């Protein structure tokens, strides 16, 4: 099988970008990447991403692909791209693949993480770009509440408006909490076969109010069964969210 498509795994700091998706006169990750690739190819090249991260959202394992001209396939793409891209976007892996591969449609599952800063003060100011400061949280209550997310459910209660989808049903494979980079951080991690618009941020916001003991543990399950986003709490800020990894068939 001919390998004529290039698959990229990307890490980026989304602070200065208006999300992944190309937008007119707005800095985006896709736009910045396409500009660098098109410069190397001396022609316009479209890049396709596995997911559209929000403005201010980060990635450790975003996957994208593009089809270079035939005479450019064997270039040292990793080195070339990292020399042109800003330091906020890095190519961390690159493979040549067949045109059967599609970064979005070939994906089996995605994993996002959301980081809470659980003390009242920042002792590491540089982390402001990557965490959501909440103060102390009841992680035990949040863990108990999050258990109801696992399985195949209608998640429209956690989908913001502005998205056109055929179904709001998704399968969440796993939800967990773990320690973060610093002792003051707690990381929520969710793996699923797909996500609705701002679904993880809305789940993170719901778990936060449960962790603050403003609502009982069964509140999340109640919201999910009610299927009404307008009855839920505020969407958690984008800066705490990171697209961690994407799983594909072997």
């Amino acid at each position: 099988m001919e390998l004529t498509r290039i698959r990229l795994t990307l890490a980026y700091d989304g602070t200065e970008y208006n999300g992944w998706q190309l937008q007119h006169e707005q800095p985006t990750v896709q736009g910045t990447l396409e500009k660098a690739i098109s410069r190397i190819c001396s022609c316009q090249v479209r890049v396709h991403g596995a997911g559209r991260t929000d403005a201010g959202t980060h990635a450790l394992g975003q996957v994208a692909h593009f089809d270079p001209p035939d005479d450019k396939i064997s270039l040292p793409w990793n080195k070339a791209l990292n020399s042109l891209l800003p330091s906020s976007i890095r190519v961390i892996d690159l493979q040549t693949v067949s045109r059967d591969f599609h970064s979005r449609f070939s994906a089996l599952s995605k994993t996002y993480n959301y980081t809470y800063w659980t003390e009242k003060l920042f002792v590491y100011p540089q982390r402001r770009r990557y965490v959501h400061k909440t103060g102390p949280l009841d992680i035990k209550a949040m863990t108990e509440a999050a258990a109801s997310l696992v399985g195949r459910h209608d998640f429209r209660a956690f989908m913001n408006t502005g998205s056109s989808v055929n179904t709001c049903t998704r399968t969440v494979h796993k939800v967990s909490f773990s320690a973060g980079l610093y002792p003051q951080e707690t990381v929520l991690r969710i793996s699923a076969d797909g996500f609705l618009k701002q679904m993880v941020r809305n789940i993170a916001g719901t778990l936060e109010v449960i962790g603050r003991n403003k609502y009982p543990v069964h509140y999340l399950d109640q919201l999910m069964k009610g299927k009404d986003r307008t009855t839920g709490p505020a969407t958690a800020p984008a800066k705490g969210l990171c697209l961690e990894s994407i799983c594909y068939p072997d």
Side-chain angles (χ1 to χ4, degrees), residues 201-219:
R201 290 171 58 195
N202 287 324
I203 289 172
T206 302
L207 289 170
E208 178 190 341
V209 296
I210 292 172
R212 289 174 179 267
N213 295 314
K214 292 184 176 181
Y215 290 91
V217 166
H218 67 263
Y219 175 61

Side-chain angles (χ1 to χ4, degrees), residues 89-157:
I89 304 175
R90 294 289 87 184
V91 177
I92 58 175
D93 186 57
L94 186 146
Q95 302 173 40
T96 52
V97 295
S98 74
R99 296 212 175 191
D100 290 338
F101 173 83
H102 193 285
S103 56
R104 178 183 175 190
F105 299 120
S106 298
L108 298 176
S109 65
K110 299 176 184 177
T111 298
Y112 280 88
N113 67 56
Y114 194 91
T115 303
Y116 304 96
W117 185 273
T118 57
E119 288 193 357
K120 293 182 179 180
L121 298 176
F122 274 113
V123 292
Y124 302 103
Q126 69 273 20
R127 294 296 290 163
R128 291 178 185 272
R129 296 159 67 102
Y130 311 110
V131 300
H132 170 41
K133 184 166 73 69
T134 61
L137 294 173
D138 184 343
I139 304 302
K140 182 179 179 181
M142 295 168 73
T143 301
E144 186 177 345
S148 62
L149 295 167
V150 178
R152 191 158 182 81
H153 306 288
D154 185 323
F155 286 98
R156 73 185 65 208

Side-chain angles (χ1 to χ4, degrees), residues 127-192:
R127 294 296 290 163
R128 291 178 185 272
R129 296 159 67 102
Y130 311 110
V131 300
H132 170 41
K133 184 166 73 69
T134 61
L137 294 173
D138 184 343
I139 304 302
K140 182 179 179 181
M142 295 168 73
T143 301
E144 186 177 345
S148 62
L149 295 167
V150 178
R152 191 158 182 81
H153 306 288
D154 185 323
F155 286 98
R156 73 185 65 208
F158 303 109
M159 180 182 72
N160 282 357
T161 58
S163 177
S164 177
V165 293
N166 293 326
T167 176
C168 295
T169 300
R170 299 290 185 272
T171 300
V172 170
H173 303 303
K174 186 177 181 180
V175 183
S176 64
F177 289 90
S178 62
L181 183 63
Y182 294 99
Q184 298 87 349
E185 296 177 3
T186 294
V187 180
L188 163 68
R189 185 169 283 105
I190 304 179
S191 298

Side-chain angles (χ1 to χ4, degrees), residues 52 57 86 94 107 157 167 186 196 201 205 215 229-230 244:
R52 300 175 180 178
T57 295
L94 186 146
T167 176
T186 294
L196 302 170
R201 290 171 58 195
Y215 290 91
R229 171 62 196 139
T230 63
E244 184 173 302

Side-chain angles (χ1 to χ4, degrees), residues 148 154 157-158 219-228:
S148 62
D154 185 323
F158 303 109
Y219 175 61
L220 186 146
D221 187 54
Q222 181 181 337
L223 281 179
M224 186 162 61
K225 290 176 178 176
K227 302 179 183 180
D228 183 359

